[in-house]
């Protein structure tokens, strides 16, 4: 039986990132990185090493975001305008897609990324660029303690069951 292989990027600027890494399920490879010193090439190199020649069914970015944008690192913010104007960003996402199965998905675990028209257009632009599905949230993403959830409303995906061991442990 083939099980899904998932990758979860966790930057150092995510509160409780170590905790999220500790509750990742057995099908999830965690890639923690320094949000301050990492660049796009470092992220791709880390992904290549982590997967070791395999392809992922899904890749998630635990990220800070808001309507129409999300952060990859402290310096790299992805929005429609930054994606349009940056060949480095376009190259990053095109290369990222090569690490995914043909029906693979990218999950953006950031608050409100798809919460407005610009966010929905950003997802569409990323999908056109990569030929892969992107899913994001239209509300707060994270623990229910913060009145948030792990549902990516654009595609009705509960990211908690994809990446983590149990919903209960996510509410701590």
């Amino acid at each position: 039986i083939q099980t899904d292989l998932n990758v979860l990027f966790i930057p150092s600027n995510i509160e409780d990132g170590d905790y999220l890494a500790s509750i990742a399920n057995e099908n999830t490879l965690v890639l923690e990185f320094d949000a301050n010193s990492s660049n796009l090439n470092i992220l791709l190199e880390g992904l290549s090493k982590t997967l070791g020649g395999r392809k992922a069914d899904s890749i998630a970015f635990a990220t800070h975001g808001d309507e129409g944008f999300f952060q990859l690192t402290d310096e790299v913010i992805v929005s429609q305008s930054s994606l349009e104007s940056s060949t480095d960003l376009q190259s990053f996402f095109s290369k990222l897609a090569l690490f995914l199965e043909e029906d693979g998905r990218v999950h953006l675990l950031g608050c409100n990324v798809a919460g407005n028209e610009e966010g929905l257009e950003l997802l569409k632009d990323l999908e056109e660029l990569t030929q892969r599905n992107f899913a994001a949230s239209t509300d707060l993403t994270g623990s229910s303690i913060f009145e948030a959830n792990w549902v990516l409303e654009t595609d009705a995906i509960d990211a908690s069951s994809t990446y983590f061991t149990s919903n209960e442990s996510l509410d701590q």
Side-chain angles (χ1 to χ4, degrees), residues 7-24:
V7 176
L8 175 60
F9 280 91
I10 302 176
S12 58
N13 63 4
I14 292 291
E15 192 174 330
D16 296 329
D18 290 339
Y19 179 69
L20 288 179
S22 75
I23 61 168

Side-chain angles (χ1 to χ4, degrees), residues 8-11 13-15 20 59-72 78 106-116 119-120 122-123 134-143 147-154 157 159-160 163-164:
L8 175 60
F9 280 91
I10 302 176
N13 63 4
I14 292 291
E15 192 174 330
L20 288 179
I59 296 173
F61 290 91
T63 179
H64 291 291
D66 206 343
E67 293 182 346
F69 73 89
F70 62 96
Q71 259 185 311
L72 280 178
V78 183
V106 177
H107 297 145
L108 304 174
L109 308 180
C111 298
N112 299 311
V113 174
N116 66 1
L120 294 172
L122 172 61
L123 294 184
F134 276 70
S137 183
T138 59
D139 60 11
L140 297 180
T141 304
S143 172
E147 297 184 16
N149 62 61
W150 293 98
V151 175
L152 304 177
E153 288 82 7
T154 59
I157 292 169
S160 65
Y163 299 98
F164 304 111

Side-chain angles (χ1 to χ4, degrees), residues 9 31 39-50 88 91-97 99:
F9 280 91
L31 210 163
N39 62 38
L40 298 175
N41 287 332
I42 289 172
L43 297 184
L44 289 171
E45 287 168 16
L47 182 59
S48 179
K49 286 179 187 159
T50 299
D88 286 346
S91 175
F92 171 79
F93 284 107
S94 294
K95 290 175 182 173
L96 182 80
F99 291 100

